[in-house]
């Protein structure tokens, strides 16, 4: 999701509606030795171990379905004050998040502008989340142009570096592109078949998340549906498909599609919000329907986003991260609501 959405995205979603300073601070993980004698709770990674895909589910090392719940960063070129060690302590220990999505934009002043800086920043955030016992989704955040092949060389270099650096970790998940649009499922699948070997050659057992067409809506935002993916899936193990929704925009049509598709495909909702895609509005009843469905079917999710701007989708009050305090008093109304859903 961009900081300011394009006219193209506005048209796509409007049409659908009408038709229906990073700090690498040492962590204090939950399992660390304390002054008392009571045993500390296990972290999510300690509890579930290395994840894999079993049928239509994401499963832990013991073979049982797992639902990960957590947050997505905004673009890492923005809101660094919300990605400090103290912020991640709050997300991991108070919010009880089991996963952090780290969004590295391919463009918009990020990777293309300085590949070394943003690769190292993503890697640092992987380490920070790992130190706190969370799983990490490494997101190659493509938006424009809609064909992910346009940033293929960058994606290859980025995932080569990240997978090589973190190949011995058991908590890293790879999201190989964000929101393709204006291209066919065949084009997206072909892109996946080019990127996945880069990761597999270094981290062969990792879970890989493949985007779907229509802004990762399984085609819903482009007047199609999940049938194309079901008929022609990516032929690889440990693959899941991404799905995005914004509660005030997608509504019942998107809810029904997610319910239907998750019966046939392993789905991970890597981006959603109570607000619309433009950052404004709240529809808590509709959002709760999605949350309930995802809980029932153990569909993992990350909410957009760890930021403190003036829009409704930010989980922190405007400017709150700059104080360095991340208790509940720093949360926006959206943040209070989302934190409660992460905690379960």
């Amino acid at each position: 999701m961009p900081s300011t959405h394009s006219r193209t995205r506005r048209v796509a979603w409007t049409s659908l509606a009408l038709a229906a300073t990073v700090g690498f601070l040492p962590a204090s993980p939950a399992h660390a030795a304390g002054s008392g004698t009571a045993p500390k709770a296990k972290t999510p990674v300690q509890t579930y171990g290395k994840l894999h895909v079993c049928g239509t589910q994401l499963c832990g090392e013991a073979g049982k379905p797992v639902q990960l719940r957590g947050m997505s960063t905004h673009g890492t070129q923005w809101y660094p004050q919300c990605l400090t060690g103290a912020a991640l302590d709050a997300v991991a220990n108070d919010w009880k998040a089991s996963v952090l999505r780290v969004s590295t934009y391919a463009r918009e002043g990020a990777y293309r502008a300085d590949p070394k800086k943003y690769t190292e920043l993503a890697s640092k955030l992987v380490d920070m989340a790992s130190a706190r016992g969370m799983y990490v989704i490494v997101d190659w955040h493509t938006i424009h142009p809609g064909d992910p092949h346009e940033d293929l060389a960058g994606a290859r270099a980025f995932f080569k570096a990240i997978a090589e650096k973190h190949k011995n970790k058991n908590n890293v998940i790879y999201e190989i592109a964000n929101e393709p649009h204006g291209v066919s499922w065949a084009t997206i699948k072909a892109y996946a078949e080019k990127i996945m070997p880069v990761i597999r050659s270094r981290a062969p057992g990792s879970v890989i998340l493949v985007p779907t067409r229509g802004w990762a809506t399984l085609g819903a935002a482009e007047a199609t549906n999940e049938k194309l993916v079901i008929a022609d899936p990516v032929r690889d193990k440990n693959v899941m498909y991404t799905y995005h929704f914004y509660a005030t925009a997608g509504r019942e049509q998107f809810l029904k599609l997610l319910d239907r598709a998750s019966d046939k495909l392993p789905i991970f909702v890597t981006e959603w919000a109570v607000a619309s895609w433009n950052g404004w509005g709240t529809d808590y009843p509709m959002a709760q329907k999605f949350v309930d469905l995802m809980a029932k079917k153990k569909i993992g999710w990350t909410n957009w986003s760890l930021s403190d701007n003036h829009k409704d989708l930010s989980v922190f009050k405007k400017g709150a991260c700059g104080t360095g305090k991340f208790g509940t008093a720093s949360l926006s109304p959206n943040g209070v609501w989302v934190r409660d859903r992460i905690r379960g």
Side-chain angles (χ1 to χ4, degrees):
M1 176 179 174
S3 57
T4 55
H5 288 68
S6 71
R7 184 174 301 158
T8 302
R9 183 163 183 175
R10 180 177 294 111
V11 169
W13 283 88
T14 303
S15 298
L16 173 66
L18 291 173
T21 332
V22 173
F24 189 28
L25 303 180
S28 298
H31 61 279
S35 56
T37 58
K40 299 296 182 179
K42 288 184 177 181
T43 67
V45 175
Q46 287 177 321
T47 299
Y48 303 125
K50 188 171 180 61
L51 303 174
H52 64 282
V53 178
C54 50
T56 60
Q57 302 284 166
L58 180 64
C59 292
E61 211 163 296
K64 295 181 179 180
V66 172
Q67 187 201 25
L68 301 184
R69 299 190 301 271
M71 290 301 304
S72 176
T73 72
H74 208 297
T76 56
Q77 71 271 42
W78 301 304
Y79 311 109
Q81 68 274 18
C82 300
L83 299 176
T84 62
L88 295 191
D89 280 343
V91 171
N93 301 327
D94 175 47
W95 297 33
K96 308 298 182 185
S98 52
V99 60
L100 178 73
R101 180 185 188 228
V102 176
S103 295
T104 300
Y105 276 61
R107 302 191 181 205
E108 298 200 40
Y111 184 86
R112 270 202 169 193
D114 194 334
K116 184 175 185 291
K117 174 182 176 179
Y118 286 99
T119 300
E120 290 179 350
L121 179 52
S123 185
K124 180 178 287 188
L125 287 165
V126 169
D127 284 337
M128 292 173 72
S130 299
R132 289 159 176 82
M134 289 188 284
Y135 291 93
V136 192
I137 297 172
V138 180
D139 162 39
W140 178 246
H141 206 84
T142 53
I143 299 175
H144 293 295
D147 186 348
H149 284 94
E150 296 292 330
D151 290 295
L152 178 62
R156 280 177 165 155
F158 176 74
F159 283 115
K160 178 181 178 181
I162 295 293
E164 181 64 31
K165 175 71 179 295
H166 301 286
K167 62 185 177 183
N168 294 322
K169 288 185 172 69
N170 66 350
N171 65 319
V172 182
I173 299 169
Y174 298 88
E175 184 177 358
I176 59 175
N178 176 49
E179 292 183 343
H181 53 94
V183 294
S184 67
W185 167 242
T187 297
I188 297 168
K189 183 183 175 186
Y191 166 82
E193 290 168 343
K194 296 179 179 73
I195 292 297
M196 290 171 64
V198 176
I199 299 167
R200 291 275 181 252
S201 64
R202 294 164 176 84
S206 297
V207 174
I208 293 178
L209 307 180
V210 176
T212 58
R213 64 179 295 190
W215 307 92
T217 64
L218 281 163
E222 293 179 343
T224 183
N225 55 42
E226 74 281 7
K227 292 180 180 179
L228 293 171
V229 181
I230 294 171
D232 187 24
V234 174
R235 303 294 179 181
D236 201 307
K237 294 179 180 180
N238 290 330
V239 169
M240 304 187 81
Y241 301 93
T242 64
Y243 190 68
H244 293 178
F245 69 84
Y246 286 80
T248 63
R251 306 190 65 76
E252 294 288 346
Q253 181 180 348
F254 273 38
L255 180 69
K256 290 176 181 178
L257 192 153
L258 176 59
D259 191 10
R260 216 172 47 235
S262 58
D263 285 339
K264 302 289 186 180
L265 298 166
I267 304 291
F268 202 112
V269 176
T270 55
E271 189 174 312
W272 70 274
V274 172
S276 183
W277 51 264
N278 63 9
W280 298 109
T282 54
D283 190 338
Y284 293 114
M286 190 71 239
Q288 188 63 54
K289 289 183 180 181
F290 279 101
V291 170
D292 290 343
L293 176 66
M294 292 187 292
K296 177 183 176 181
K297 304 187 84 169
K298 292 190 179 296
I299 299 169
W301 54 259
T302 51
N303 179 266
W304 186 272
S305 65
L306 276 174
S307 55
D308 65 346
N309 64 39
H310 60 293
K311 295 187 176 183
D312 291 325
L313 54 70
S314 285
V315 294
F316 296 111
K317 294 175 183 176
K318 183 180 179 181
C321 294
T323 68
K325 297 178 180 179
F326 298 95
T328 54
S330 70
L331 300 178
S332 67
N334 177 54
V336 171
W337 194 90
V338 171
R339 172 184 174 273
D340 285 348
R341 272 68 194 170
I342 292 175
R343 288 171 62 91

